[in-house]
Amino acid sequence: MKNTTLCYIKKDNKYLLLHRTKKKDDPNEGKWIGVGGHIEDGESPEECLLREVKEETHLTLTSYQYRALITFVSDVYETENMYLFTADAFDGELDYACDEGELEWISKDKLLNLPMWEGDKKFLPLIMDETTKFFTMELIYKGDKLVESKNSLDN
């Protein structure tokens, strides 16, 4: 099972998203996602979060919150645990020249209209609501199609 982080950075009612257009053989190709990546051996989710955000954006997060643990189950891809974060403060200047695609600030009301994984549209409304408590979610895919989603808030 692989472990990853993903972060949605908020500023002025907009979220920083990455349009994945540059990596070869990218399962996220053409989709809009937050910033993050694979947790390296011996690295905590928080260490990975800070490293990946710095690598992809050149920003240093100064305020972030662990919001959810998302488990992706697929008949095509390796099962993945994704540590999902939001952030609302950072230092530095955003470098839009990311190796994996284009970074863009997207207004909250346009976010869910972008091409993204179906499962992302399940957890994004929950994390955009700052009153939502920590939750877990399981997203089950057949190919690229979401066939089931379950979250701890529904219990």
Side-chain angles (χ1 to χ4, degrees), residues 48-104:
C48 175
L49 165 76
L50 296 172
R51 176 184 53 77
E52 287 283 352
V53 168
K54 184 74 167 177
E55 287 175 6
E56 293 180 3
T57 68
H58 290 235
L59 300 175
T60 301
L61 297 182
T62 58
S63 174
Y64 58 89
Q65 185 177 7
Y66 179 30
R67 303 293 304 281
L69 177 62
I70 311 295
T71 302
F72 295 94
V73 179
S74 167
D75 62 346
V76 176
Y77 304 108
E78 180 181 2
T79 299
E80 175 182 341
N81 277 332
M82 182 180 74
Y83 298 81
L84 183 59
F85 293 85
T86 55
D88 59 9
F90 51 85
D91 288 332
E93 287 293 318
L94 178 62
D95 181 355
Y96 287 92
C98 178
D99 291 344
E100 298 180 10
E102 293 79 38
L103 291 164
E104 189 174 331

Side-chain angles (χ1 to χ4, degrees), residues 10-54:
K10 183 179 179 183
K11 179 181 96 171
D12 301 328
N13 216 31
K14 294 181 178 182
Y15 287 88
L16 184 63
L17 268 73
L18 174 60
H19 189 204
R20 298 288 291 251
T21 58
K22 294 182 182 177
K23 257 177 117 172
K24 289 188 184 214
D25 302 319
D26 185 357
N28 294 307
E29 184 176 1
K31 299 201 172 26
W32 291 82
I33 63 173
V35 293
H38 297 298
I39 298 174
E40 295 177 355
D41 191 36
E43 190 175 47
S44 73
E46 291 83 4
E47 290 167 334
C48 175
L49 165 76
L50 296 172
R51 176 184 53 77
E52 287 283 352
V53 168
K54 184 74 167 177

Side-chain angles (χ1 to χ4, degrees), residues 6-7 16 19 64 68 81 87 96 110 113 118 128 146:
L6 194 67
C7 185
L16 184 63
H19 189 204
Y64 58 89
N81 277 332
Y96 287 92
K110 294 186 173 136
N113 296 326
E118 292 175 71
M128 287 189 290
L146 181 67

